Every structure is written in structure tokens, then in C-alpha cells.
């Protein structure tokens, strides 16, 4: 064989080896990348797909993303719509069912127009805090009063992203067992959204569950929608109690990070706990050609973007003040 033929053969062998390695790596990758994978591993519907933000904006994803990325805002509006539909349907389903004592007490406590939503994730870094914050803004945009409670006391998100203070909060409430929750509520830079920070107090084991139940009851009386950002489910026993107290649980899963094993363990744990899990938000989905639809507004679209409406929609969220 000539030198040229040998070089061609070597190049072909190298190409085949590279192709084989790529296939092996792809098959060994247990991370969830797509909606279909997430739905299969969690056994739950994906309610929204939040696009991946540029690296320079991810630290302030909670507030920057919603105001500056229309694709992100639409994702959380879709999540809000799913939760509102769930809230409106639930009383009818409970009325038609043979209600157990547990369902009766929960239905009576929750009220017709009030909802406590617990947002959690399998592990840290899956996007649950970003989901909770953006969902709070989506509800406020629809003229709903919102109380956002940061219950992740291990890795709390700074209250300053909402121009609030990192002061006393959930920890001190649980420790005192007597001070009203209202004392820990702060205003934020987002009209309609109030915040209870994680705080730093220590929990008393003897009164922990009772005090948590009381916090849920007080929170429900302070806003139409209560959103609780918790610690990751697989890492926190406290979160496993909180999901059983919620009206609805939403899971955050990060595209390219959450693994199949973590998803299956989380789904199984939620089923055993009997948690009212509605679905999954897939965070950090790589953007593609479709994102141009939400990218730069084209002539004539500014009005519906400012109103929180999509083309052809007759109604939607209101203007954010």
C-alpha cells in the first residue's frame, strides 16, 4: 500500500474509534437531558421547561431571568397555569370522592382560593430556588398575593436578591414556638411578593412537627399563594415532612445534572410519603431555534409582552409594577 492509502486507512480507523467512544459515553451518561427522559424516570409530567440562562446571569436567575428573558418568563407562566388549574379542579374532585378524614381537614383548611406549594428537588443545584422565586413572580404578575418562604436552612438563597434583609425567619419561628409568623414577613422589590427568610435559629425536636403545622396554617392566612423553597428531598428529613403538609409539590430537575438514579429515588420516596406531587420543572434546558420566538420582540409584539400575554391569547397576567 502506498503512503497515501496508509494515511487514509489510519484516518478511517481513528474516526471509527472516536465514533465508538462517543456512543459508549452517550450510553453511560445517566443524566437527564430531555423532557422525555425526565418524564420516564420521575414517572411524572414535565409541567415547564425553563431555558438555560447565560453564565453571567445565573447568580441572579431568580429576578434577572424573569424580567429579561421572555422564554424563562413564559416557562413559569405555564407552570403557574398548571397549578391554578389544579387548584380549581381539586375541590370538585374532593367533593365527588368519598372523602377521608385527612382529605376533609386538608380541604377545609386550604380554603377555596388559597394554595401552599412546596418546591423541592432531588439534590442541591437542581434549580429549586430559581423555580420558587420565578413562580412567585409569575403569580404576582397575575395579581395574586404571594408569600415566599425560604425553608432551605442549609443553603439559603440570600434575601437580598429581592432587596430584603437576611434577618430572622423560619429558624427563629421554629425555635420560639410562640412568635407569630407575621413578625418575620418582609416586603420585597416585587409588588405582591412578601418573603420569610430562612433565619438561623435552632429547632426543638419535641415541638418541631407541631410548630411546622402551625407555620403552614399561619402562612395560608397571610397570602393567596404560599410558595415554600425547601432543602433537597434526598438530603433532608425535614423536607420529607413538609411535602406531606403541602397542597401540592413541584419538583425541580436540572437538565444535564439530575441523574436517573436520583430521579427514581425521589419519585419512589414521594409515592411512599403520599405527597401530592403535580409534576416536574426541567431547568436549564439548552436553547435552540424555537427560542427566537421569545428572543427579541418583533414589531407589534411589545404590548402583549408587557402584559404577559402570548400572541392570540385573550387574557393573561397583568403588568408588573
Amino acid at each position: 500500500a502506498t503512503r497515501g492509502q496508509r494515511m487514509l486507512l489510519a484516518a478511517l480507523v481513528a474516526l471509527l474509534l472516536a465514533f465508538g467512544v462517543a456512543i459508549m459515553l452517550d450510553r453511560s451518561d445517566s443524566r437527564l437531558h430531555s423532557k422525555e427522559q425526565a418524564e420516564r424516570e420521575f414517572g411524572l409530567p414535565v409541567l415547564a421547561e425553563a431555558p438555560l440562562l447565560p453564565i453571567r446571569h445565573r447568580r441572579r436567575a431568580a429576578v434577572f431571568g424573569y424580567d429579561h428573558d421572555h422564554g424563562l418568563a413564559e416557562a413559569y407562566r405555564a407552570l403557574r397555569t398548571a397549578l391554578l388549574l389544579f387548584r380549581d379542579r381539586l375541590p370538585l374532585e374532593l367533593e365527588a370522592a368519598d372523602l377521608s378524614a385527612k382529605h376533609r381537614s386538608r380541604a377545609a383548611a386550604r380554603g377555596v382560593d388559597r394554595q401552599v406549594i412546596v418546591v423541592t428537588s432531588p439534590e442541591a443545584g437542581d434549580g429549586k430556588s430559581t423555580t420558587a422565586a420565578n413562580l412567585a413572580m409569575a403569580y404576582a404578575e397575575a395579581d395574586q398575593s404571594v408569600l415566599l418562604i425560604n425553608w432551605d436552612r442549609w443553603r439559603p438563597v440570600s434575601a437580598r436578591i429581592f432587596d430584603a434583609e437576611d434577618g430572622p425567619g423560619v429558624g427563629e419561628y421554629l425555635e420560639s414556638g410562640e412568635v407569630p409568623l407575621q413578625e418575620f414577613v418582609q416586603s420585597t422589590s416585587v409588588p405582591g411578593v412578601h418573603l420569610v427568610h430562612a433565619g438561623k435559629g435552632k429547632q426543638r425536636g419535641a415541638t418541631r412537627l407541631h410548630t411546622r403545622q402551625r407555620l403552614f396554617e399561619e402562612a395560608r392566612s397571610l397570602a393567596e399563594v404560599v410558595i415554600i423553597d425547601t432543602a433537597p428531598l434526598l438530603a433532608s428529613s425535614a423536607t420529607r415532612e413538609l411535602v406531606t403538609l403541602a397542597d401540592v409539590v413541584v419538583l425541580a430537575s436540572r437538565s444535564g445534572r439530575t441523574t436517573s438514579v436520583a430521579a427514581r429515588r425521589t419519585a419512589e420516596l414521594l409515592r411512599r410519603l403520599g405527597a401530592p406531587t403535580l409534576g416536574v420543572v426541567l431547568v436549564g434546558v439548552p436553547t435552540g431555534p424555537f427560542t427566537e420566538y421569545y428572543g427579541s420582540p418583533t414589531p407589534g409584539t411589545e404590548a402583549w409582552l408587557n402584559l404577559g400575554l402570548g400572541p392570540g391569547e385573550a387574557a393573561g397576567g397583568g403588568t408588573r409594577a
Side-chain angles (χ1 to χ4, degrees):
T2 65
R3 185 181 177 207
Q5 290 174 325
R6 289 196 299 271
M7 291 180 64
L8 180 62
L9 180 60
L12 180 60
V13 171
L15 181 63
L16 290 173
L17 285 173
F19 184 67
V21 169
I23 291 176
M24 289 178 62
L25 289 174
D26 182 66
R27 290 183 176 178
S28 64
D29 186 1
S30 66
R31 295 171 295 177
L32 308 182
H33 294 276
S34 67
K35 174 183 176 181
E36 292 73 21
Q37 287 177 310
E39 290 186 333
R40 180 176 67 249
E41 301 299 342
F42 281 105
L44 294 164
V46 170
L47 304 173
E49 295 177 85
L52 185 67
L53 288 175
I55 293 175
R56 64 184 181 278
H57 299 321
R58 290 178 200 170
R59 281 193 171 186
R60 299 200 69 210
V63 288
F64 181 92
Y66 196 92
D67 280 342
H68 296 80
D69 189 292
H70 299 299
L72 191 78
E74 285 298 319
Y76 288 106
R77 288 174 186 138
L79 177 59
R80 177 194 68 199
T81 299
L83 289 164
L84 286 171
L85 290 172
F86 175 80
R87 183 186 70 182
D88 293 340
R89 287 181 55 192
L90 187 59
L92 297 176
E93 293 173 355
L94 290 175
E95 184 177 344
D98 181 17
L99 299 184
S100 65
K102 179 180 178 181
H103 283 154
R104 285 196 191 93
S105 61
R106 178 177 288 183
R110 68 189 293 275
V112 176
D113 297 321
R114 299 191 177 243
Q115 193 173 37
V116 177
I117 304 164
V118 165
V119 180
T120 188
S121 63
E123 298 172 328
D126 285 335
K128 61 178 181 55
S129 296
T130 295
T131 294
N134 280 283
L135 180 59
M137 287 185 284
Y139 269 108
E141 181 186 55
D143 296 324
Q144 301 268 302
S145 61
V146 183
L147 180 61
L148 177 60
I149 300 177
N150 187 346
W151 209 314
D152 185 349
R153 297 173 55 206
W154 289 266
R155 295 179 60 180
V157 173
S158 174
R160 297 184 183 183
I161 64 170
F162 282 113
D163 297 324
E165 296 296 325
D166 290 331
V170 171
E172 287 73 17
Y173 176 92
L174 296 175
E175 185 178 43
S176 71
E178 297 177 356
V179 180
L181 183 63
Q182 178 68 56
E183 297 295 318
F184 302 102
V185 175
Q186 299 186 53
S187 298
T188 72
S189 56
V190 181
V193 176
H194 288 78
L195 175 72
V196 176
H197 187 51
K200 296 181 179 179
K202 296 180 181 180
Q203 301 179 26
R204 283 192 240 167
T207 60
R208 184 172 56 188
L209 180 58
H210 170 75
T211 309
R212 286 173 179 170
Q213 291 172 329
R214 184 163 62 85
L215 188 150
F216 269 68
E217 294 169 4
E218 290 187 44
R220 199 188 301 275
S221 70
L222 296 176
E224 294 172 286
V225 180
V226 179
I227 300 174
I228 300 179
D229 175 18
T230 67
L233 186 73
L234 297 180
S236 170
S237 59
T239 299
R240 297 173 195 182
E241 293 180 3
L242 297 182
V243 296
T244 66
L245 299 175
D247 294 324
V248 60
V249 175
V250 173
L251 281 171
S253 171
R254 185 171 294 279
S255 175
R257 181 186 180 97
T258 305
T259 65
S260 298
V261 172
R264 290 195 294 268
R265 287 178 59 200
T266 300
E268 177 61 23
L269 183 55
L270 288 169
R271 281 193 293 270
R272 291 185 178 185
L273 292 169
T277 312
L278 186 62
V280 179
V281 178
L282 193 57
V283 178
V285 177
T287 55
F290 178 74
T291 55
E292 294 301 317
Y293 182 86
Y294 293 116
S296 300
T298 53
T301 64
E302 290 86 351
W304 62 260
L305 284 173
N306 290 334
L307 291 172
L309 305 179
E313 289 182 343
T319 305
R320 288 196 48 217

